[in-house]
Amino acid sequence: MDLRYTDEQEAFRAEVRAWLRAHVPKERLPTVGTREGFDAHRAWEQELGRAGYGALHWPVEYGGRGADVVMTAIFEEEYAIIEGPPRITVLGRNLMGPTLMVHGTPEQKDRWLSRILSADDIWSQGFSEPDAGSDLAGLKTRAVRDGEDFIVDGQKIWTSYGTFSDWIFALVRTDPEAPRHAGITFLAIDMRSPGVEARPLVQVDGRAGFAEVFFTDVRVPATQVIGEVNRGWDVAMATLGFERDAPSAPAGRFERDVAELGSIARALGRDSDAGVRDTIGSLYAQALAYRWHTMRTLTRLARGERIGPEGSVTKVLWSELERDTFAAGRELLGPYGEVLSDEAPQTDPLRWHSKYWFSRAATIYAGTSEIQRNIIAERVLGLPRK
Ligand SMILES: Cc1cc2nc3c(=O)[nH]c(=O)nc-3n(C[C@H](O)[C@H](O)[C@H](O)COP(=O)(O)OP(=O)(O)OC[C@H]3O[C@@H](n4cnc5c(N)ncnc54)[C@H](O)[C@@H]3O)c2cc1C
């Protein structure tokens, strides 16, 4: 494995870095939990799209750059290091778009793909329900055929960006008599349809980044079924495969955060404290180990290999590193981390405060650590089911 970047890749990194430095909003955008904040994030994504950075990994025929996995990872790393605003297009770009490319009809591709890329349509993901999270096939939201339409009733939960999104891709039960995985259909639903109600879920940090979505007699044209009726589980597995294979959580962001922990420790005069040194040293070693792990993954993807269930190793590593890094920051900042004081030394306490709270969710969304460990045990290591 050659760990050096090519001249072309280094040039691309320089181009991305310069563009981001010049264009990333200087002020933090208002939270996506408000209409104003959501629109500000959309406007930023539209700017990214116009500059050709909307969806680097999409094929050129669908408006992307056809960038290889290393280029895409370089962009993501630079974006993470400069802390660009959260990408509200993420579910459209990384999940719905690629799913449409494989399972969509030509009309569906024409209708939605370019609008995902331009950020004119923001998509959310309607998979989880109150009793169907890890056990996704337990979903109960149902859709009944009525002429040219389906009538949808039920509830989704934890729908990221769901309060103001334009569309949702949802799994619905279309054959209650069929075995659990067999009677499910993958539907695209216009969030402005009569009968759709998105209720913001206010989190512990006071923000409302996601919603509960309720469907009451919502009429959805059958032309908005993606793939085949009752075969939605296969489509959903393809969607989750894209999630697993997408280069996520760049290593550079952890190295930067751990370096900042070092600056905070020095500013607080705690850099000679053995416990603090031990924590920061250990986190740094984990961040470096994570970098080598992601290099190995990128090398495999660049060779055209699929990652499959081994993607669960990456998910466990980055989510637990994120959780532990921000927990260490909160511990180190002590009261500064709680009161959002402007006086915290050498850091932005609001950033550490909000990152700490959101990091608590990292080991839950995109599949919990327990579920990932089950996958690693059974499907990577070949251990027997308990
Ligand atoms: C910030 C955030 C954003 C999210 N965004 C979205 C979104 O946009 N769209 C969407 O559809 N969903 C979204 N989710 C939901 C997420 O996918 C679920 O929370 C996740 O799948 C876990 O499901 P659950 O919350 O129902 O927990 P449960 O499945 O009820 O699990 C509860 C606990 O039991 C453990 N557990 C369950 N089954 C097993 C098992 N077999 N073996 C061992 N342990 C087990 C779990 O690991 C967990 O610790 C989001 C969640 C969060 C926190």
Side-chain angles (χ1 to χ4, degrees):
M1 168 169 48
D2 184 352
L3 295 178
R4 285 166 305 184
Y5 290 100
T6 63
D7 290 348
E8 190 196 357
Q9 287 161 348
E10 289 295 2
F12 178 68
R13 185 186 290 280
E15 171 205 317
V16 168
R17 186 172 291 179
W19 190 91
L20 288 172
R21 279 206 186 128
H23 293 88
V24 162
K26 301 284 175 281
E27 299 291 318
R28 200 187 303 270
L29 298 182
T31 166
V32 293
T34 60
R35 180 85 252 176
E36 178 207 6
F38 196 85
D39 289 346
H41 282 78
R42 186 199 295 269
W44 159 245
E45 297 259 13
Q46 288 170 333
E47 187 177 346
L48 274 175
R50 283 192 297 273
Y53 293 122
L56 294 171
H57 58 293
W58 280 24
V60 176
E61 65 172 307
Y62 297 123
R65 288 206 194 183
D68 67 20
V69 66
V70 179
M71 296 285 220
T72 306
I74 288 172
F75 177 81
E76 295 299 335
E77 180 148 271
E78 291 301 317
Y79 195 89
I81 288 172
I82 204 165
E83 284 221 291
R87 305 282 307 271
I88 60 172
T89 51
V90 63
L91 297 161
R93 268 185 306 123
N94 288 347
L95 302 189
M96 187 57 181
T99 303
L100 278 174
M101 289 174 207
V102 177
H103 291 282
T105 62
E107 295 72 31
Q108 291 171 341
K109 291 178 192 174
D110 278 353
R111 180 175 182 189
W112 287 311
L113 284 177
S114 65
R115 291 184 61 84
I116 292 175
L117 198 77
S118 62
D120 290 325
D121 283 343
I122 304 295
W123 284 77
S124 50
Q125 176 185 22
F127 281 14
S128 305
E129 298 187 6
D131 292 317
S134 305
D135 182 20
L136 182 57
L139 63 94
K140 295 196 179 67
T141 295
R142 62 196 174 96
V144 178
R145 185 84 194 220
D146 181 34
E148 296 300 301
D149 300 329
F150 281 92
I151 311 288
V152 180
D153 283 278
Q155 181 198 347
K156 298 293 171 180
I157 197 166
W158 310 127
T159 313
S160 299
Y161 306 124
T163 312
F164 301 112
S165 63
D166 306 293
W167 288 86
I168 185 168
F169 55 90
L171 294 178
V172 295
R173 191 160 292 289
T174 34
D175 183 357
E177 307 303 322
R180 276 157 45 94
H181 298 87
I184 292 173
T185 298
F186 190 114
L187 271 186
I189 305 177
D190 186 338
M191 290 291 277
R192 284 166 295 245
S193 313
V196 177
E197 188 197 350
R199 293 186 200 156
L201 278 175
V202 181
Q203 293 139 230
V204 70
D205 64 358
R207 299 179 185 199
F210 41 38
E212 296 177 283
V213 181
F214 295 84
F215 302 94
T216 312
D217 294 336
V218 177
R219 200 163 266 281
V220 179
T223 51
Q224 290 173 199
V225 169
I226 314 298
E228 289 173 45
V229 174
N230 293 334
R231 299 286 302 274
W233 187 256
D234 299 342
V235 184
M237 289 307 106
T239 309
L240 295 178
F242 296 128
E243 185 170 48
R244 204 169 275 159
D245 274 358
S248 54
R253 136 183 160 196
F254 296 112
E255 290 159 10
R256 181 209 53 204
D257 287 333
V258 176
E260 194 173 325
L261 280 180
S263 313
I264 297 170
R266 275 191 292 280
L268 289 168
R270 296 194 57 199
D271 49 329
S272 53
D273 180 321
V276 170
R277 291 171 76 92
D278 186 47
T279 302
I280 296 178
S282 156
L283 287 169
Y284 188 62
Q286 287 174 56
L288 281 187
Y290 180 69
R291 173 168 290 281
W292 304 131
H293 172 79
T294 51
M295 294 295 259
R296 189 167 50 190
T297 306
L298 279 178
T299 306
R300 286 182 53 193
L301 288 170
R303 284 193 195 127
E305 294 173 31
R306 296 293 306 268
I307 301 303
E310 284 175 59
S312 293
V313 177
T314 312
K315 169 76 207 315
V316 170
L317 287 176
W318 72 251
S319 58
E320 298 193 352
L321 187 52
E322 179 166 322
R323 178 196 64 193
D324 295 347
T325 302
F326 287 102
R330 186 166 186 258
E331 180 78 24
L332 189 59
L333 280 164
Y336 293 120
E338 289 298 330
V339 295
L340 305 185
S341 162
D342 288 337
E343 295 162 19
Q346 305 238 330
T347 188
D348 171 358
L350 182 60
R351 173 177 179 273
W352 281 85
H353 182 87
S354 68
K355 292 270 181 182
Y356 167 75
W357 285 112
F358 197 69
S359 73
R360 309 306 298 168
T363 53
I364 300 173
Y365 61 80
T368 67
S369 278
E370 292 80 9
I371 295 297
Q372 306 296 347
R373 285 193 162 88
N374 282 349
I375 294 171
I376 295 166
E378 289 164 19
R379 295 175 53 200
V380 181
L381 302 174
L383 299 175
R385 286 176 76 95
K386 253 173 110 183

